[in-house]
Amino acid sequence: MDSQLLIENAVRIINMFQYTIMSVFFCRMLCCFLPKKEGYLMDILIFISGVFIPSMVIDPNDMFNVTLAFIWMLLLMLFCFKGSVISKLSVTAVIYPLIIALNLLISEFSLKIWLAGGKSFLLDMAVSIADGLIHILFWYFIYRTFVSKVRQASRLYSQNTWILLGIICLASLVSITVCTYYTPEETYKIWPCAVACMVTNIGSLYLAEYFVNTIRHEMEQNSLKLQRVYYEELERNQAEIRRFRHDMNHHLLIIRDLFDQGDKEAAHAYFQELESQIAPQNRCFCKNSVLNAVLNSKYNKAADSSIDCFFRIDLPEVTAIDQVSLCSIFANTLDNAIEACLKIPEPEKRKISLKARIAENEFFSYEIKNAKINAVTVEKGKYISDKKNRSEHGVGLTSLQRTVEKYNGTLRISYDETSFTVVILIGNSL
């Protein structure tokens, strides 16, 4: 009797050690999806949840534990992790079916083995240790296989991508929950469902890499466009310099002749006209060379259209917002602002004001305001322009919304009869 009690206590200690190790891999996996909130309390809650949630015993017709696992998992994501509610719900839809399906299968096979082995005490202890080892190996496999894929996904996923991932895993969530709630007497009939749920959700993690590659390809395309704008602007400036050098001798000869003739007023007037023509076209709006090229391109385009522009930009050379996203914010909003101003017949009423900075609290703030005369139409939350091609309606603002969501920022749009304003706030931008 004493030896049996000693063995039981030893197995309990081994199980505690096993589930502690399992919790480490489980929690690391969750932190790959979404960043955890700061504080020791959050660390403790996440670790304790990592011990109990994935190791929760799930038996057929076990409504209590299945429901408890779902609620606990959902509350853990909502209160201990950063990110949007949609992303937290999607992570729950991915992880929860894996927990229920794995634990249900382990419970079923453990019971079958124990019964087949004559319900012996030693076999019961061995099955208990094997249970812990399977949990460790499973979550270690999930973590090591998908750590890089999930981390990249968490940085690049937009709100719509999180929704799509959640919808894909929703079928697994519902099916494994219903099968566990209403398990038939022949419990082996739900094994294929449990296996299918695990395969589906593990497959969704592989699908995350496909989503990431698609998003990265789109970013690379945008990066190439920005580089083209940069080099086009550089080539235009070089061409201006070459033309200026070529014509300078002629201009100097004309000015010298006017002075030789004693016509100082004509020489001064000619010099002023020449000065206005050779005014620098490439202004330094910020330290980021690519963004500066984009801003110069848009500024010159606006100036050529007699649009009065005011830019106040205070940004460091490097920010936490990637260069493509940063340029996309400026380019899309400036394109929309220029397009709206061009519809104003009186050039003196065409105005654009742009302010951007990173404050001491590391918040990126962006505000662009433009004059307008056209009416603003909104359908199903999408801004509709008067472009002939309806597929292009609201594309710029939709892209802007995706960029802001990627950094968990906020986008606010306001307008009246004469102006349209876009304000963006993104935290931790340094």
Side-chain angles (χ1 to χ4, degrees):
M1 184 69 179
D2 292 339
S3 60
Q4 183 172 326
L5 182 61
L6 185 64
I7 293 173
E8 284 183 357
N9 291 333
V11 170
R12 288 193 184 98
I13 294 173
I14 292 172
N15 285 156
M16 289 175 60
F17 179 72
Q18 288 176 324
Y19 289 124
T20 300
I21 297 174
M22 177 202 65
S23 177
V24 172
F25 295 122
F26 180 77
C27 294
R28 286 184 178 180
M29 186 65 192
L30 293 183
C31 291
C32 290
F33 277 103
L34 296 171
K36 65 182 181 65
K37 293 180 180 178
E38 304 299 330
Y40 290 112
L41 178 60
M42 294 299 169
D43 293 339
I44 294 172
L45 289 175
I46 292 172
F47 181 78
I48 293 175
S49 299
V51 172
F52 287 100
I53 295 178
S55 61
M56 193 168 291
V57 177
I58 304 297
D59 294 319
N61 299 306
D62 187 358
M63 294 187 179
F64 179 80
N65 277 3
V66 172
T67 306
L68 177 62
F70 176 74
I71 295 175
W72 194 341
M73 180 72 195
L74 185 59
L75 292 176
L76 174 69
M77 298 308 303
L78 289 174
F79 292 105
C80 295
F81 288 87
K82 300 177 183 178
S84 65
V85 174
I86 294 297
S87 62
K88 295 174 183 180
L89 293 176
S90 296
V91 174
T92 302
V94 173
I95 300 298
Y96 167 79
L98 292 176
I99 295 171
I100 301 304
L102 175 68
N103 291 5
L104 179 64
L105 289 174
I106 289 177
S107 177
E108 279 287 285
F109 285 122
S110 297
L111 179 62
K112 300 292 184 186
I113 293 172
W114 182 64
L115 292 174
K119 304 179 182 180
S120 70
F121 169 75
L122 291 178
L123 181 60
D124 186 24
M125 296 297 101
V127 167
S128 179
I129 294 175
D131 181 323
L133 286 174
I134 293 172
H135 277 91
I136 292 174
L137 292 174
F138 178 82
W139 290 110
Y140 175 78
F141 165 77
I142 294 295
Y143 171 71
R144 295 299 301 175
T145 305
F146 300 106
V147 55
S148 60
K149 298 178 178 64
V150 172
R151 279 178 179 166
Q152 292 178 28
S154 65
R155 291 195 299 267
L156 298 177
Y157 272 15
S158 65
Q159 196 86 324
N160 290 335
T161 313
W162 279 117
I163 292 174
L164 181 59
L165 182 64
I167 291 173
I168 292 173
C169 297
L170 185 61
S172 296
L173 189 153
V174 173
S175 61
I176 192 62
T177 302
V178 172
C179 285
T180 310
Y181 275 1
Y182 306 105
T183 307
E185 292 184 5
E186 300 88 351
T187 57
Y188 64 86
K189 291 183 178 180
I190 66 169
W191 295 357
C193 176
V195 173
C197 288
M198 294 178 66
V199 171
T200 299
N201 283 37
I202 291 175
S204 72
L205 294 177
Y206 277 106
L207 189 62
E209 184 177 21
Y210 172 77
F211 287 155
V212 167
N213 290 335
T214 302
I215 296 170
R216 186 182 290 116
H217 176 72
E218 182 180 347
M219 291 178 64
E220 289 173 353
Q221 293 295 109
N222 291 333
S223 179
L224 289 174
K225 291 179 183 178
L226 292 173
Q227 290 178 25
R228 187 176 70 247
V229 170
Y230 173 76
Y231 287 113
E232 285 176 353
E233 188 68 18
L234 186 63
E235 176 59 28
R236 192 181 68 81
N237 290 330
Q238 292 293 329
E240 287 289 329
I241 292 172
R242 289 193 295 269
R243 183 183 63 80
F244 170 72
R245 286 178 176 175
H246 179 268
D247 296 341
M248 184 52 65
N249 288 333
H250 301 290
H251 295 308
L252 291 176
L253 287 174
I254 293 172
I255 293 173
R256 189 187 66 179
D257 290 341
L258 290 172
F259 272 111
D260 289 344
Q261 295 170 15
D263 194 350
K264 294 182 180 181
E265 291 184 2
H268 182 69
Y270 188 88
F271 184 80
Q272 284 186 322
E273 183 180 354
L274 178 62
E275 185 182 28
S276 65
Q277 293 181 4
I278 64 175
Q281 297 294 308
N282 192 21
R283 300 161 182 82
C284 184
F285 293 109
C286 66
K287 298 177 182 178
N288 186 309
S289 58
V290 176
L291 177 58
N292 199 64
V294 172
L295 290 171
N296 269 282
S297 175
K298 304 304 179 185
Y299 187 94
N300 293 333
K301 180 180 178 181
D304 292 342
S305 302
S306 301
I307 300 174
D308 181 21
C309 291
F310 172 77
F311 289 1
R312 178 184 290 177
I313 300 169
D314 182 15
L315 298 177
E317 187 173 0
V318 178
T319 68
I321 306 173
D322 68 87
Q323 187 164 262
V324 173
S325 298
L326 192 64
C327 291
S328 176
I329 291 173
F330 282 83
N332 282 322
T333 53
L334 280 168
D335 281 340
N336 289 341
I338 292 172
E339 180 184 341
C341 285
L342 289 176
K343 296 171 184 176
I344 302 175
E346 303 91 344
E348 65 275 7
K349 293 184 180 180
R350 300 172 183 173
K351 297 181 184 299
I352 295 175
S353 171
L354 190 155
K355 301 174 185 177
R357 66 190 291 260
I358 291 183
E360 294 180 358
N361 58 4
E362 299 184 3
F363 262 84
F364 168 73
S365 62
Y366 180 91
E367 180 190 79
I368 182 169
K369 183 176 182 180
N370 62 268
K372 74 172 189 68
I373 60 169
N374 59 304
V376 177
T377 305
V378 183
E379 293 182 5
K380 298 180 181 179
K382 185 176 181 180
Y383 287 83
I384 306 299
S385 70
D386 49 11
K387 294 176 182 177
K388 294 181 180 180
N389 187 353
R390 290 189 62 86
S391 64
E392 297 179 0
H393 290 189
V395 172
L397 287 176
T398 301
S399 175
L400 183 65
Q401 180 71 46
R402 288 173 53 192
T403 302
V404 173
E405 287 174 353
K406 185 170 74 172
Y407 291 96
N408 297 318
T410 59
L411 171 66
R412 186 170 68 251
I413 297 175
S414 59
Y415 53 88
D416 54 33
E417 293 182 357
T418 60
S419 66
F420 189 93
T421 304
V422 175
V423 175
I424 295 171
L425 292 174
I426 296 175
N428 300 319
S429 298
L430 284 177

